[in-house]
Amino acid sequence: MRARDMGWIGCHNCGAVHDKGSRSCRTCGARLHGRLPNSLQKLWAWLVTGVFFLIPANLYPLISNEVFGHEEGHTILEGIVVFAESGDYLVAGVIFLASFVIPAFKVLVIAILALSIQFHWQLDRRVRHLLYEFVEFIGRWSMIDVFVVALLTGLVHLGAILAFLPGVGAICFALSVICTMLSAQALDSRLIWDGVENE
Amino acid sequence: MNDDPTLTQPEIKTRRERGWRSISLVWLVPVAAVAGALGLVWQSYSTRDIPIRIAFADATGIEPGKTEIRYREVVVGTVQSLQFSDDLEQVVAHAEINRDLARYLDTGTRFWLVTARVGPAGISGLNTLLSGSYIAADWDAEPGPQAREFIAEATAPAVPPGTKGRAVVLVSPDSGSVSVGAPILHKGVPMGKVAAVRFDPLSGSVLISGFIEAPYDRMITSGTRFWNVSGIGLELGEGGVQLKVDSLASLLQGGIAFDTPMSGGQTVGRRPVFDLYPDEASARDSLLGDSLQATVEVMSNFEGSVRGLRVGSEVLFRGVKVGQVKHLTAQVEEVEGGSPEIRMQVIYTVEPSRLGLQDVRTAEDTLSLLSTMVERGGLRARLMPASLFSGGLVVQLVEDDQAEPAAIDHESAPFPIMPSLPTPPDTLAVASQNVLDRVAALPVEELMQRAIMLLENVNAIVADGDTRALPADIRSVLDNVNSVAASESLRALPDDLRQAVASVNAVLDRFNGQEGVQKLVSALEEVRAAATYVSDFSVELPGLVASIDGLVAKADALPLEEVVASAGEVLQTANAFLQEDDVKRVPATLSAALEQAEKTLASIETAAGSVNDTLGKFEEQQVSQTLIDALNDLRAAAANVEDASAGLPSLLDDIDRLVATANDLPLNEVVTSADQVLQSADAFLRNEDMEKVPGALSGALEQVQQVLAELQEGGAVRNLNRTLETANAAADSVALAVKDLPELSRRLEELADTAEATIGAYGPGSPVNREVQAAIGDLRSTVRSLDALVEAIRRKPNSLLVGR
């Protein structure tokens, strides 16, 4: 039993319920849609862009440290190796998790959700819901790398002796995270149970 | 749940538009991202770096991935990796260079490692201390044959890349302590640097590459001369001590100065070649010289000694220096069927422009011209004394028409042989040598020996007993004179004389009365006129004097040696004569003579009486009348003299002629005659008659001895002795002093040198003072530079770390 089945339309902005046939929300004035238009297309578009940005984000140095005027850059993987070699396994683990595992997992989850909606996979609604919740939750932690870079660049600036500069990889990584977040945002969660109801 | 059929029918449906309209605009985002990425890839590909390889001797300071390649301090590439060359001799750095600069990467591109460097020329590359070394590159804007493999320079070029100016090559027999980076100065202003110093095994000389910075490079023409100003030059000359220090830097790493003293020189090419002269004097001296190529080296073989000839001796042509001696060797020459002959071989240079050969470009041209001069003009080399006194020799190129035909031997090694002439014997030096030889050959010592013997003999005579007896004899003579004076008749003599005078008086009175005086006066006047006449002609005497001069000159050339030899013989004879016993008998004879004198005095007594009688007669015979007649005669004679003096000019002419004749006379014969006369004198002295003379002489000398003895008693000799003793003591002191004299003179010399140096050195405007001031100036500028450095570091400490 869905709101739609009852002839109601919920404003996806403020949540006010309207009768069918209403064109705009009476409380916030937003346009009313039964379902967000082109939701899956947007999701895929942002997801593809996000994945695409992950390639340079891992090939180019995430951060450059300039020691005595000599610039040296490290990619994400190099940074993990450096920390691991120097014995900071915790830091290396956190970076590995934030920079590799989470983004990859997020992309994977969004992709699974989109595919399951598009091809009406028979997945347990509980699992789908958990996946969606996970994407929503993990989104805010994806930016941990970018945050570290921004912090280092802003705080560690000892003139000519030591300085950190954001690398191309950081920008790409940030773009990638933004794109995947937009991708997750584009998903109209109501589509998740549209298919379920149909079964 | 689906009981309301209207509700089950969905009125609001998800639009399902097909075709391209159903595609959301959001797809533009990934498309734009991919397009941007592709654009970046394309850009990165199109501007991808050019891989090159640079070979280094070692990889000091080169780090793969970090070491940059800079051109004019702009990073244009990075070293990617390091590898060894196949033979492990070199380290090859694989680097990538900006694609934009690829077309300039030609064979002229140079790479070198820049590290911090502290040297006499200054401090450079301090920024590399912290940032690490980098590889500097230099290329010009003209693309040449492309290259991708390079060999790095061992050291940074002294001239910064891109500096405008002109490179020059200086040829020098040795480096003269000039090192890379040494300044090239003009009037003390640095205008360039020495870029490289290398030895050229082909020419055996040192090639110094220098660089003159713009705009000073325009001063370099074919008339420019370079010379070495390295180190300290200390010159001791008549002007005092001269200390030459050009700058502190030139003291440490050498220096080269140049000047263009000859205006109107031609412009030179891209890399002109100049000679580097050892000092300024020789540089300016060479101004007439042509280029190095046109100067030829030739050899000449000389017989006999070449003592006095040394490396650097002049080669003269008609008194003008045309070259200099380079080398002296002895050359053994095998002669067929005889012992090997040793010849002195002299190698010397000839500069064609100094020979008056202008348009000569190559050494071959010079040689062919010299050949022509040898074959047609009779050009020969010979050794001549440089001056009458120095004893040094020069090589003289002379044109001798009478010389036997000869040609330059082009086949001989290492240089062509120029035919030579022996040194002529009639040169001034030889002549003067002959004169000295003749003087030296005179038997002066023999002469002196004979004179000494003569004196010894005189001494013997004086010591003779007879000579000593002489004073006694004289005393007895005087006694006799005394007795004569005391005699009666002599006392009566005054009365007789008085009478005689009275008679004379009478005669004079009469003479007065008869106008004798007037006649005498007129006669004297005539004599005076004659004298005036004579004096007029004395004007002509100078000519006469000149003739006599000639005569004297002639006499000058006489064979004096023979005369001296004869004189020597005479002295020897005289010596022998004095040694004879007869001579020793002279005193006795002399004493006899004195006895004779005694008798003579006795005769005087009787003579006085006769005088009296004569005066009486004189009065009676009217002598005064005769005197007047005589005066008349005298007057007539004076008139005659006047007449005669009229003929004086002709007489003078005659004398002149006579002198001229005398001039032409075979004076040599006269001298020969004189020689003969002396020989005759010799013979005369040997004559037996002469033997009688010594007896008398010995008596006289004996007396002299006596006198001397008396003198001695009078104390004069004692005084003399004392004086001589004093003199002796003085002489001893002098002798002692003389022993210390060399030491003293050495000290005096040192003192004088020191004083000279000191005075010369510290006078205002003196060279030392100037040099010291220049040195102080250098120091001051160094201190200023240090000050500036300290100030810069104080203001921007991190400039030490980051460079600028």
Side-chain angles (χ1 to χ4, degrees):
Chain A
M1 186 68 184
R2 301 171 298 183
R4 183 189 218 173
D5 300 332
M6 301 297 291
W8 299 330
I9 298 168
C11 173
H12 60 90
N13 213 10
C14 61
V17 181
H18 296 81
D19 289 330
K20 57 184 178 185
S22 303
R23 286 286 178 265
S24 57
C25 179
R26 64 177 177 272
T27 46
C28 65
R31 232 182 132 185
L32 294 173
H33 301 284
R35 295 288 180 267
L36 285 173
N38 292 332
S39 172
L40 280 179
Q41 275 198 44
K42 284 179 187 167
L43 180 145
W44 283 119
W46 287 119
L47 194 63
V48 165
T49 314
V51 170
F52 176 75
F53 275 123
L54 270 182
I55 299 165
N58 281 289
L59 288 181
Y60 284 91
L62 188 72
I63 189 164
S64 301
N65 51 352
E66 199 181 276
V67 184
F68 293 130
H70 194 80
E71 199 176 315
E72 198 173 9
H74 295 290
T75 62
I76 295 168
L77 202 62
E78 280 172 354
I80 294 165
V81 169
V82 164
F83 279 116
E85 276 178 350
S86 60
D88 288 323
Y89 295 109
L90 184 69
V91 181
V94 167
I95 293 174
F96 180 71
L97 213 64
S99 305
F100 272 98
V101 180
I102 295 175
F105 197 68
K106 199 169 125 188
V107 167
L108 202 68
V109 167
I110 293 170
I112 288 169
L113 276 176
L115 287 171
S116 69
I117 290 163
Q118 207 148 17
F119 298 104
H120 310 287
W121 288 353
Q122 297 301 318
L123 280 177
D124 183 59
R125 72 171 75 173
R126 192 176 170 79
V127 172
R128 282 205 214 178
H129 188 74
L130 273 175
L131 286 175
Y132 181 70
E133 285 290 316
F134 175 77
V135 168
E136 287 283 290
F137 167 78
I138 210 75
R140 69 200 69 169
W141 292 102
S142 307
M143 278 297 206
I144 191 165
D145 274 22
V146 180
F147 181 71
V148 165
V149 168
L151 211 64
L152 279 176
T153 309
L155 290 180
V156 184
H157 199 88
L158 298 177
I161 298 170
L162 183 65
F164 285 99
L165 301 170
V168 180
I171 294 160
C172 292
F173 191 82
L175 283 171
S176 168
V177 169
I178 288 166
C179 290
T180 48
M181 280 171 82
L182 284 170
S183 173
Q185 203 91 64
L187 179 67
D188 194 335
S189 53
R190 289 170 289 193
L191 288 173
I192 296 173
W193 39 85
D194 272 351
V196 175
E197 202 66 29
N198 289 341
E199 284 156 22
Chain B
M1 269 176 66
N2 290 338
D3 31 17
D4 185 356
T6 53
L7 282 175
T8 54
Q9 188 183 359
E11 289 179 17
I12 301 162
K13 288 195 172 185
T14 307
R15 275 179 291 178
R16 285 203 165 263
E17 290 175 56
R18 294 292 162 188
W20 65 273
R21 287 184 64 88
S22 66
I23 296 170
S24 169
L25 280 174
V26 85
W27 282 107
L28 286 176
V29 175
V31 169
V34 169
L38 283 176
L40 282 171
V41 165
W42 170 249
Q43 192 191 356
S44 152
Y45 176 79
S46 63
T47 61
R48 75 184 193 283
D49 292 339
I50 305 294
I52 59 164
R53 272 169 291 183
I54 311 167
F56 289 88
D58 58 67
T60 312
I62 302 176
E63 289 177 71
K66 292 181 185 173
T67 303
E68 295 159 345
I69 296 173
R70 298 189 193 180
Y71 173 63
R72 296 194 179 214
E73 295 295 313
V74 175
V75 179
V76 296
T78 316
V79 173
Q80 300 296 322
S81 62
L82 286 174
Q83 284 181 354
F84 286 110
S85 61
D86 292 339
D87 55 0
L88 300 180
E89 290 285 310
Q90 288 174 316
V91 177
V92 180
H94 292 256
E96 288 183 351
I97 290 276
N98 208 320
R99 171 161 283 268
D100 295 345
L101 299 162
R103 62 197 181 99
Y104 300 116
L105 284 173
D106 51 27
T107 47
T109 308
R110 291 178 297 163
F111 294 92
W112 67 93
L113 194 70
V114 177
T115 52
R117 198 179 291 272
V118 180
I123 301 167
S124 65
L126 264 189
N127 52 336
T128 62
L129 277 179
L130 296 169
S131 67
S133 309
Y134 62 89
I135 296 169
D138 177 39
W139 49 72
D140 50 36
E142 296 159 22
Q146 291 284 300
R148 292 291 179 265
E149 289 181 24
F150 305 93
I151 295 170
E153 310 276 319
T155 53
V159 181
T163 314
K164 282 195 165 63
R166 183 189 296 278
V168 293
V169 178
L170 306 175
V171 182
S172 171
D174 56 62
S175 82
S177 72
V178 171
S179 58
V180 174
I184 298 177
L185 311 156
H186 173 60
K187 298 188 191 298
V189 180
M191 294 190 174
K193 276 181 178 176
V194 171
V197 179
R198 65 187 180 89
F199 177 71
D200 181 21
L202 281 178
S203 64
S205 53
V206 175
L207 300 181
I208 297 171
S209 304
F211 189 84
I212 312 293
E213 288 165 28
Y216 305 123
D217 60 328
R218 272 178 294 181
M219 282 191 281
I220 309 294
T221 69
S222 60
T224 303
R225 288 294 176 271
F226 291 81
W227 66 90
N228 198 335
V229 291
S230 300
I232 305 178
L234 186 68
E235 205 173 300
L236 261 170
E238 56 265 36
V241 185
Q242 215 173 356
L243 182 68
K244 296 187 77 169
V245 186
D246 262 77
S247 74
L248 274 186
S250 69
L251 195 64
L252 292 170
Q253 55 180 170
I256 290 169
F258 76 90
D259 198 2
T260 309
M262 193 171 71
S263 59
Q266 293 149 1
T267 51
V268 287
R270 236 174 86 81
R271 270 175 83 85
V273 177
F274 290 97
D275 280 338
L276 180 65
Y277 293 92
D279 52 57
E280 182 173 0
S282 53
R284 295 193 184 279
D285 197 32
S286 72
L287 253 192
L288 281 174
D290 221 332
S291 61
L292 196 67
Q293 280 78 15
T295 299
V296 289
E297 292 193 5
V298 290
M299 302 191 298
S300 284
N301 293 325
F302 294 105
E303 284 170 32
S305 168
V306 293
R307 199 175 83 95
L309 198 68
R310 54 187 175 77
V311 173
S313 287
E314 295 181 329
V315 177
L316 301 176
F317 177 67
R318 295 183 184 171
V320 176
K321 185 183 172 186
V322 296
Q324 60 180 17
V325 173
K326 288 283 184 197
H327 199 57
L328 298 169
T329 50
Q331 186 79 20
V332 179
E333 221 170 72
E334 295 290 344
V335 179
E336 281 181 33
S339 57
E341 233 176 78
I342 297 177
R343 287 168 179 273
M344 298 312 295
Q345 200 166 61
V346 179
I347 299 171
Y348 52 93
T349 58
V350 175
E351 295 180 30
S353 61
R354 296 190 173 203
L355 273 173
L357 310 172
Q358 286 304 330
D359 299 316
V360 180
R361 288 274 168 265
T362 62
E364 285 73 29
D365 289 352
T366 313
L367 262 184
S368 66
L369 280 162
L370 278 179
S371 297
T372 316
M373 288 172 81
V374 167
E375 283 158 31
R376 299 203 189 139
L379 190 74
R380 299 286 185 274
R382 71 179 184 197
L383 295 176
M384 293 292 279
S387 78
L388 187 56
F389 304 106
S390 73
L393 289 178
V394 295
V395 176
Q396 202 179 33
L397 299 180
V398 288
E399 290 161 307
D400 189 355
D401 298 335
Q402 271 82 47
E404 285 177 30
I408 288 185
D409 181 3
H410 292 276
E411 305 302 317
S412 68
F415 301 110
I417 294 182
M418 166 84 90
S420 62
L421 287 178
T423 306
D426 59 346
T427 57
L428 189 56
V430 173
S432 65
Q433 192 59 46
N434 286 347
V435 171
L436 291 174
D437 285 348
R438 282 171 73 185
V439 170
L442 290 178
V444 175
E445 280 172 23
E446 201 183 337
L447 197 66
M448 290 302 290
Q449 214 155 5
R450 285 176 186 176
I452 290 165
M453 280 165 73
L454 175 67
L455 287 171
E456 275 170 3
N457 287 328
V458 168
N459 203 11
I461 289 167
V462 169
D464 195 287
D466 285 353
T467 313
R468 289 186 180 173
L470 209 57
D473 294 345
I474 290 171
R475 212 178 300 130
S476 68
V477 171
L478 287 172
D479 282 349
N480 285 333
V481 169
N482 228 1
S483 66
V484 169
S487 69
E488 294 266 326
S489 48
L490 204 62
R491 281 182 186 165
L493 196 60
D495 287 343
D496 295 342
L497 278 173
R498 214 176 296 129
Q499 283 169 19
V501 167
S503 305
V504 169
N505 256 354
V507 170
L508 287 172
D509 283 348
R510 281 180 67 182
F511 176 68
N512 258 352
Q514 290 174 9
E515 299 172 341
V517 173
Q518 262 169 10
K519 286 182 180 171
L520 191 61
V521 166
S522 65
L524 284 172
E525 270 170 6
E526 281 171 33
V527 169
R528 197 176 131 205
T532 312
Y533 203 75
V534 169
S535 85
D536 287 347
F537 280 95
S538 63
V539 177
E540 297 185 7
L541 281 173
L544 192 63
V545 168
S547 304
I548 290 169
D549 262 359
L551 185 66
V552 168
K554 187 112 183 189
D556 231 8
L558 292 176
L560 284 168
E561 300 92 312
E562 287 157 36
V563 177
V564 171
S566 302
E569 276 172 32
V570 171
L571 283 170
Q572 197 176 13
T573 315
N575 200 2
F577 165 69
L578 285 169
Q579 269 173 326
E580 278 182 39
D581 288 346
D582 287 348
V583 178
K584 292 177 180 164
R585 257 182 264 127
V586 168
T589 319
L590 203 62
S591 125
L594 286 168
E595 275 169 30
Q596 211 57 45
E598 200 176 338
K599 286 175 191 162
T600 309
L601 278 170
S603 308
I604 290 172
E605 202 177 351
T606 50
S610 306
V611 167
N612 210 0
D613 294 345
T614 310
L615 283 168
K617 284 175 186 170
F618 187 74
E619 201 172 354
E620 285 168 13
Q621 286 170 5
Q622 297 187 336
V623 175
S624 56
Q625 183 57 51
T626 318
L627 193 60
I628 286 160
D629 292 344
L631 280 170
N632 282 338
D633 289 346
L634 182 65
R635 199 178 143 196
N640 284 341
V641 167
E642 200 172 333
D643 291 345
S645 59
L648 203 57
S650 61
L651 182 65
L652 284 170
D653 286 343
D654 286 349
I655 291 172
D656 211 346
R657 225 177 295 128
L658 181 67
V659 167
T661 317
N663 220 350
D664 298 337
L665 282 179
L667 276 169
N668 282 334
E669 287 165 29
V670 175
V671 171
T672 313
S673 303
D675 195 19
Q676 284 170 1
V677 170
L678 282 167
Q679 277 168 9
S680 304
D682 199 0
F684 167 71
L685 283 168
R686 286 170 201 265
N687 197 304
E688 283 182 12
D689 288 345
M690 283 301 289
E691 286 171 11
K692 291 169 192 163
V693 178
L697 196 62
S698 83
L701 289 171
E702 200 174 338
Q703 200 55 34
V704 171
Q705 185 98 341
Q706 192 67 34
V707 172
L708 285 170
E710 282 170 18
L711 276 172
Q712 198 168 15
E713 282 165 22
V717 171
R718 209 169 47 240
N719 288 340
L720 191 68
N721 267 350
R722 213 179 298 134
T723 311
L724 282 171
E725 273 166 20
T726 317
N728 209 12
D732 284 349
S733 307
V734 168
L736 271 174
V738 164
K739 233 183 267 171
D740 291 331
L741 204 59
E743 174 69 14
L744 185 69
S745 79
R746 199 174 58 73
R747 286 189 186 166
L748 271 176
E749 217 165 279
E750 280 174 15
L751 182 67
D753 282 354
T754 316
E756 196 181 0
T758 312
I759 292 163
Y762 298 110
S766 69
V768 172
N769 196 21
R770 256 199 328 273
E771 298 312 332
V772 167
Q773 272 176 2
I776 289 170
D778 280 344
L779 276 175
R780 210 174 286 148
S781 69
T782 311
V783 168
R784 262 205 304 276
S785 307
L786 281 175
D787 270 354
L789 181 66
V790 167
E791 179 71 10
I793 291 170
R794 198 173 59 79
R795 284 189 185 164
K796 276 183 72 185
N798 62 346
S799 67
L800 258 184
L801 303 175
V802 292
R804 342 210 129 192

